[in-house]
Amino acid sequence: MLDQTQKFVLNDEKDKEMKYILLEVYDALKQKGYNPISQIVGYILSEDPTYITNHKNARSLIRRIDRDELLHDLVRHYLSE
């Protein structure tokens, strides 16, 4: 029994948080009349926070996501289906 290593899945929690943040940012952008997909893509490509509204604290939220991790997860998810 001592030779078995227990693994903790932290990625699942990170994925949930990333999804939550993206949904919140999407909702805030939509409420302000923006095209949420275009604005989020603009932010991901440029890392320019002005693509994201301050409404509902969305700009602060999006900065909690690591862009490289987000891109990695997006490609992984897209290719896994």
Side-chain angles (χ1 to χ4, degrees), residues 20-30 40 52 58 61-62:
Y20 168 79
I21 289 171
L22 285 173
L23 289 171
E24 289 293 310
V25 170
Y26 181 94
D27 185 51
L29 288 164
K30 192 166 185 134
I40 292 170
I52 307 300
L61 282 173
I62 197 80

Side-chain angles (χ1 to χ4, degrees), residues 48-79:
D48 181 355
T50 60
Y51 276 97
I52 307 300
T53 181
N54 277 322
H55 180 63
K56 292 179 64 179
N57 206 28
R59 191 174 292 166
S60 177
L61 282 173
I62 197 80
R63 288 181 173 171
R64 291 174 37 194
I65 296 177
D66 181 271
R67 285 184 327 138
D68 291 336
E69 281 183 39
L70 176 58
L71 287 170
H72 179 270
D73 287 352
L74 289 171
V75 171
R76 180 179 49 82
H77 179 73
Y78 185 78
L79 294 175

Side-chain angles (χ1 to χ4, degrees), residues 12-55:
D12 192 37
E13 284 300 314
K14 247 185 175 176
D15 288 347
K16 286 179 185 177
E17 180 182 16
M18 206 176 324
K19 183 175 182 174
Y20 168 79
I21 289 171
L22 285 173
L23 289 171
E24 289 293 310
V25 170
Y26 181 94
D27 185 51
L29 288 164
K30 192 166 185 134
Q31 285 181 13
K32 292 303 276 183
Y34 295 107
N35 178 330
I37 300 298
S38 294
Q39 295 301 112
I40 292 170
V41 168
Y43 171 75
I44 291 170
L45 293 176
S46 69
E47 202 170 9
D48 181 355
T50 60
Y51 276 97
I52 307 300
T53 181
N54 277 322
H55 180 63

